[in-house]
Amino acid sequence: MDRKDKKGRKLRVGEYYDSKNDRYLFRKMINGKRYTITDEDLITLRKKAAALTIDIENNNIYTRDMEKMTLDEYFECWCENSGKSGRKATTYMNYQAYYNAHVKGTELGRMAIRSIRKTHCQKLFNDMMKKGYKKSTLNNMKGCLSVLFSEAEDDDIVMKNPCKNIRFIQAGKGEREAISEEQVETLINFLKGDEEFAEYYPFFVILFNLGTRIGEASAITWDCVDFSNSKITINKALNRYRKKEYGFTVAIGSTKSKNGIRTVKVNEIVIRALKEQRRLQLQKEGSVTIKIPRVDDYGRVISEIDNLVFTQANGQAWYEPAVISLIHRIVKKQNEQAEQKGTVKLQYFTPHQIRHTYTTMAFEAGVDEKEVAFRLGHASEITTREVYTHLRGQKKQEQDEIVNRIQIG
């Protein structure tokens, strides 16, 4: 390529003359991508180059490139640039998990983002409903896509958010089944008497008596335990992170919401269990204590914690998959013994069923709805009411029967 044309005119920066084809070229690099304009006339070429410069200044070039992106490509772009901005690290990771599980690689994910309409999004949710996903999962997926399309609106890629008025009212809420009183008693008695699993008795006492989320129970530190006043403060939670992005897999962060921070009065069984836990820890003094990162809402390490009340045998903090594994090991051994003795076997249960069992017992005991919401760390009793409507219905029926015993006349 020549820097002068056949008339001997010196060309500007970025301009070239192709003597072989008798054409002019203008080239410019934008964000690592080369753009080339060609024309037979130099004056016309310069007009095109000026228009390109205006597009660059107005960011239209980047927008046109993004318009060609598929939804999958735009999601990756969003993750790299603005996904973490202004939102909790746990929220960002949840968006990644939901998108990768339900959209990535699908027909919707492969579509050009500018071509996506409400009907395409509705089809995704209809398919998820057919597969049996519950309303909570659908709401989380909708939240992820709504944020993504809102960003695309800001980038002038789509005219409006196609997820805005999505409905899925026929989706089920899912049954939250409490663990029966007999099963709870069987579990507790097994833990008390089994040499291998007795050390986990205090952990399960806390879970059943406080109704905390697993992450909250796992993050309790000794400075949050007030033995003299029989109180425990829940003010943080253990979360899981992507090591390639944050440098660690588990860390202590804030609770799910501001309402998750609470100080609760506990019973004597809990205090005794905590004292036993303290004794077990001191007994193991000299064993490996692993420091857990303490992070802010954006996943930035601000300190380290090494005074957790509950840890695994290897010193690591408890997180949900590890607790699930522990439950399976406990149930397996108890079932083997029950088979030999001809006694009641434990049924497999999930960590969240423990929380549900606590809530069930609280309602059955007649605890005020507002107090139950406070102890669960819900934003308000409205959340508790929506989640545990069926329990309130059972309690209401019982109250109706009691009231109707008053018969006059």
Side-chain angles (χ1 to χ4, degrees), residues 208-226:
F208 275 105
N209 282 272
L210 268 67
T212 61
R213 302 173 178 90
I214 290 297
E216 293 171 340
S218 302
I220 297 173
T221 47
W222 285 111
D223 57 296
C224 293
V225 179
D226 182 352

Side-chain angles (χ1 to χ4, degrees), residues 14 26-30 33-37 49 52-53 56:
F26 175 77
R27 289 175 176 169
K28 190 172 184 66
M29 292 290 290
I30 304 171
K33 184 174 181 179
R34 175 176 288 175
Y35 290 83
T36 303
I37 298 172
L52 176 64
T53 301
I56 294 169

Side-chain angles (χ1 to χ4, degrees), residues 135-153:
K135 197 167 185 177
S136 58
T137 302
L138 297 172
N139 274 323
N140 289 330
M141 186 70 254
K142 180 183 176 182
C144 169
L145 286 182
S146 292
V147 167
L148 196 61
F149 284 116
S150 178
E151 293 275 345
E153 276 188 288

Side-chain angles (χ1 to χ4, degrees), residues 32-47:
K33 184 174 181 179
R34 175 176 288 175
Y35 290 83
T36 303
I37 298 172
T38 66
D39 202 278
E40 296 177 352
D41 180 69
L42 182 59
I43 303 302
T44 305
L45 179 82
R46 287 176 175 170
K47 288 180 180 179

Side-chain angles (χ1 to χ4, degrees), residues 303-318:
S303 63
E304 290 183 320
I305 288 177
D306 61 358
N307 63 333
L308 293 175
V309 173
F310 301 108
T311 57
Q312 300 182 56
N314 60 4
Q316 290 279 9
W318 284 108

Side-chain angles (χ1 to χ4, degrees), residues 88-91 93-94 214-216 218-219 236-242 248-256 292-293 295-297 317-320:
K88 293 178 71 170
T90 48
T91 302
M93 289 185 299
N94 283 337
I214 290 297
E216 293 171 340
S218 302
K236 49 193 177 294
L238 184 131
N239 298 307
R240 297 167 70 196
Y241 298 81
R242 296 175 188 272
F248 44 80
T249 53
V250 294
I252 304 292
S254 61
T255 53
K256 190 173 182 180
I292 308 298
V295 301
D296 63 14
D297 284 347
W318 284 108
Y319 53 94
E320 190 152 344

Side-chain angles (χ1 to χ4, degrees), residues 56-73:
I56 294 169
E57 291 174 352
N58 293 331
N59 205 32
N60 291 335
I61 291 293
Y62 186 49
T63 298
R64 285 206 298 266
D65 284 348
M66 288 196 295
E67 285 176 347
K68 299 174 185 177
M69 288 182 176
T70 64
L71 184 60
D72 282 349
E73 290 170 340

